[in-house]
Amino acid sequence: MGMKDSGIEWIGEIPNNWEICRIKDKYKLITGFTPDTTRDDFYDDDNGYTWISIADMTNSGKEVSKSSAGISEKFIQSKHPEKTKVGSLLYSFKLSVGKVGFAKKDLYTNEAIASFQKNDRVCLPYLYYASFLIEKNANINIYGAKILNQDLINNSITIIPPLKEQKLIADFLDDKVGKIDDILTDLNKQVEILEKYKKSLITEIVTNGLDPNIEKKDSGIDWIGAIPKKWKITKLKYHSIRIGDGIHGTPDYSEDGEYTFVNGGNFKGDKIVFFGNEGNISEHEFKRWYACVLNENTVMIALNGVNFGEVSYYNREKILLGKSAGYITLNQDYLPRYVGYYMQGYSARTIMYLSLNSTTIPNLSLSTLNNFDIPIMSVEEQIEIIDFLDKKCAQIDELIKDKKTQIEKMEGYKKSLIYEYVTGKKRVKGVE
């Protein structure tokens, strides 16, 4: 069977008997809603109707049936919203674009989700795999994020094979992608196990030392447990020159500035991650704001956000810290890498979470850092612990890196496989 030019650069050639058309030419689309949030009687989380959000789709996988929030009978009876029927394909198009899943029962969605209703002219399981084509019609905002609305979705260009072939492609990809997903699930579990083992190892060594046979005693701190008998427990504030955070304001940026404004989001894997010239400031601006005490004995830690608890070390970088970047500048009693490892262990992370302010965003307070319990030991013991953990953690990190490389390759293969069959570059068996 021959091929023809689709007329769309990013699609290329398609089989002669396939169509190029707009979404609205083949599919019926409805979008969801959010009831008045000041009306408590419009919501019923315990016994109400299922009302799907993007978070619910993220947590559910391919089939969607449960929601964290519910819509009340009163709202349904008074507003008569259009229902997303069982078997419909849900598609997220705001904030997080491109998540897809099938409605396992009749339900409702919020306004960030569009629902493609079933009809006899198309196979929705094919669209499940072809839905990435819709994103090509998205607008891009100033932050580089994709933006879609109902009109843009309806006018998106898509590819429509004959109905029989749509079903064959969907069945074929269900099988192949399912096997790939099983491999990815296993690889991700392996990464999770390795990361947990790393934290457990760190916790064990920083609170017990390297000698497994040494005599122990109760530390008196529940989350630390037993420690070597010769050790004592102290608080970070007694061994720090200063514990603080960055500036509570926004400096003036300068593209060619030699200093960089960084926050907790810049701390990753013991390092400071810089994003091009984003956040550059001049030396004059640096001096206008600077009030931190940073030196070679400084440990930095993300106080909130997605990087919460991530640790980094100061190495004379030309940086200005923001308010989500905490710092602990130690005196000569402690080495920064020991304290850094200590803060990364399970026990320390647990107490960080337990001490969080009761807000929707994790926020580690400076008071918690000041009063953080930590074992007292000699600098020589710290050096031995650092050397041991540097070596062991490097080995674990290499294994994690290898697993993540495998995951990346499998994800790439999965996308390539879907693209090739959805656009007709490869054909499934059974096609005439």
Side-chain angles (χ1 to χ4, degrees):
M1 187 177 292
M3 303 287 283
K4 64 183 178 182
D5 184 7
S6 68
I8 309 296
E9 183 179 355
W10 45 269
I11 293 177
E13 291 189 332
I14 60 172
N16 282 328
N17 63 337
W18 288 27
E19 293 181 65
I20 289 285
C21 64
R22 296 169 299 180
I23 284 288
K24 67 182 179 182
D25 297 330
K26 296 289 183 179
Y27 301 96
K28 181 190 175 186
L29 181 73
I30 65 171
T31 55
F33 57 88
T34 294
D36 184 348
T37 54
T38 65
R39 292 284 301 271
D40 290 341
D41 58 334
F42 281 173
Y43 294 87
D44 184 351
D45 296 349
D46 297 324
N47 302 302
Y49 292 85
T50 302
W51 181 60
I52 300 295
S53 67
I54 292 176
D56 297 323
M57 290 183 65
T58 302
N59 296 328
S60 65
K62 191 173 180 178
E63 292 186 324
V64 184
S65 62
K66 295 181 180 179
S67 62
S68 57
I71 301 301
S72 71
E73 177 73 29
K74 182 172 185 178
F75 176 81
I76 299 298
Q77 294 301 323
S78 61
K79 301 297 182 181
H80 304 289
E82 190 168 4
K83 184 184 296 180
T84 293
K85 296 178 181 177
V86 61
S88 298
L89 182 66
L90 277 55
Y91 178 85
S92 66
F93 67 96
K94 291 183 179 180
L95 300 178
S96 182
V97 172
K99 293 186 183 298
V100 284
F102 291 99
K104 200 173 179 181
K105 63 180 183 180
D106 290 351
L107 47 77
Y108 300 94
T109 77
N110 71 11
E111 74 282 358
I113 297 170
S115 300
F116 294 95
Q117 308 283 46
K118 292 172 68 175
N119 70 65
D120 295 335
R121 296 182 300 159
V122 292
C123 170
L124 286 182
Y126 167 79
L127 181 60
Y128 174 84
Y129 292 108
S131 61
F132 70 90
L133 299 172
I134 296 171
E135 295 179 43
K136 297 291 185 179
N137 206 48
N139 292 328
I140 306 297
N141 67 15
I142 59 173
Y143 304 106
K146 295 174 182 176
I147 299 176
L148 281 170
N149 56 36
Q150 189 169 354
D151 187 56
L152 287 171
I153 295 172
N154 273 318
N155 286 292
S156 294
I157 300 297
T158 193
I159 309 168
I160 304 293
L163 184 58
K164 178 184 175 182
E165 191 165 0
Q166 290 180 48
K167 294 176 179 176
L168 288 171
I169 291 170
D171 289 343
F172 173 82
L173 289 176
D174 279 348
D175 177 57
K176 295 296 183 183
V177 171
K179 290 174 181 175
I180 294 170
D181 285 342
D182 286 343
I183 295 171
L184 286 169
T185 297
D186 184 57
L187 286 169
N188 279 302
K189 283 181 179 177
Q190 291 178 43
V191 169
E192 185 181 344
I193 289 168
L194 285 167
E195 289 176 340
K196 285 182 177 179
Y197 171 65
K198 178 181 173 181
K199 285 187 172 67
S200 295
L201 177 68
I202 291 171
T203 300
E204 175 70 20
I205 299 303
V206 296
T207 57
N208 286 278
L210 295 171
D211 184 357
N213 300 314
I214 198 168
E215 189 177 354
K216 305 274 183 64
K217 68 177 181 182
D218 183 7
S219 68
I221 309 295
D222 288 343
W223 60 272
I224 294 178
I227 58 173
K229 190 173 183 179
K230 63 179 180 177
W231 290 5
K232 295 180 180 179
I233 297 296
T234 186
K235 294 185 183 297
L236 269 178
K237 64 184 177 182
Y238 300 137
H239 305 274
S240 301
I241 296 170
R242 185 166 178 180
I243 296 176
D245 57 3
I247 67 171
H248 290 223
T250 304
D252 293 329
Y253 297 114
S254 174
E255 190 171 327
D256 58 354
E258 58 181 305
Y259 288 79
T260 307
F261 183 54
V262 302
N263 268 297
N266 294 87
F267 302 154
K268 192 68 177 175
D270 293 351
K271 295 180 175 61
I272 304 173
V273 179
F274 298 101
F275 306 104
N277 61 2
E278 180 185 339
N280 285 5
I281 58 174
S282 67
E283 184 174 8
H284 176 268
E285 189 69 5
F286 169 79
K287 290 179 177 177
R288 185 169 78 89
W289 284 98
Y290 194 71
C292 300
V293 179
L294 308 181
N295 60 36
E296 65 277 5
N297 285 328
T298 297
V299 181
M300 296 176 290
I301 185 168
L303 299 177
N304 56 44
V306 294
N307 269 24
F308 169 77
E310 285 280 347
V311 166
S312 184
Y313 304 98
Y314 181 70
N315 191 28
R316 299 184 181 279
E317 294 93 348
K318 291 185 174 182
I319 56 175
L320 176 67
L321 299 184
K323 66 179 180 180
S324 70
Y327 68 93
I328 306 162
T329 298
L330 301 156
N331 62 23
Q332 300 304 310
D333 298 337
Y334 282 96
L335 299 173
R337 284 197 65 78
Y338 170 78
V339 173
Y341 273 127
Y342 186 78
M343 303 298 278
Q344 292 175 62
Y346 264 135
S347 298
R349 294 289 292 228
T350 299
I351 202 64
M352 284 185 208
Y353 277 107
L354 291 175
S355 67
L356 294 179
N357 296 335
S358 57
T359 61
T360 55
I361 300 175
N363 188 31
L364 183 62
S365 73
L366 296 182
S367 174
T368 297
L369 286 181
N370 271 281
N371 291 290
F372 221 83
D373 294 304
I374 189 169
I376 296 178
M377 67 189 72
S378 69
V379 170
E380 288 72 25
E381 286 175 294
Q382 293 177 50
I383 291 172
E384 290 177 355
I385 287 172
I386 292 166
D387 290 345
F388 176 85
L389 288 176
D390 280 351
K391 181 179 178 180
K392 289 294 184 181
C393 289
Q395 293 171 348
I396 298 169
D397 287 342
E398 192 61 35
L399 291 172
I400 292 172
K401 180 181 177 182
D402 179 61
K403 298 297 179 187
K404 287 185 174 180
T405 299
Q406 292 179 53
I407 289 169
E408 188 177 335
K409 287 180 179 178
M410 289 302 296
E411 291 282 12
Y413 172 63
K414 175 180 169 180
K415 287 182 179 179
S416 176
L417 183 75
I418 291 171
Y419 175 82
E420 288 176 336
Y421 282 91
V422 160
T423 61
K425 306 297 184 293
K426 289 185 178 180
R427 312 293 292 279
V428 297
K429 292 180 180 179
V431 175
E432 297 175 0

